[in-house]
Amino acid sequence: MTDEREVSDDMLAARLRETAARVQAGEQARDERGRLIEEAGRRNWPREVIADLAGVSHQAVTQRIQKSRQQDTTE
């Protein structure tokens, strides 16, 4: 195992940049999944099917669709 103090400042900076990029990509993927769930809900897909395809729980799908519908009525 490498001693933490053996990592140079440049290596540390590079690792931080790489990690930040992975976090951002994950956030973008979650946002896209949410938009797709909302669209599938608007098209009246069964929530069980949406949950299975999206890899989330039925409850998560229900919450996302309800949130989307609430936002649609307030705009």
Side-chain angles (χ1 to χ4, degrees), residues 8-64:
S8 73
D9 287 347
D10 289 339
M11 290 173 66
L12 178 59
R15 288 173 64 186
L16 281 169
R17 278 192 297 275
E18 291 166 4
T19 300
R22 285 196 312 271
V23 168
Q24 183 177 11
E27 291 169 353
Q28 291 169 346
R30 281 188 297 278
D31 289 344
E32 177 68 12
R33 180 178 64 191
R35 287 190 296 272
L36 293 170
I37 288 171
E38 291 170 5
E39 180 60 27
R42 279 192 285 279
R43 294 181 185 203
N44 295 315
W45 285 23
R47 292 179 184 183
E48 294 83 7
V49 171
I50 298 169
D52 185 50
L53 292 171
V56 298
S57 69
H58 179 273
Q59 182 180 5
V61 170
T62 298
Q63 289 174 349
R64 184 67 187 221

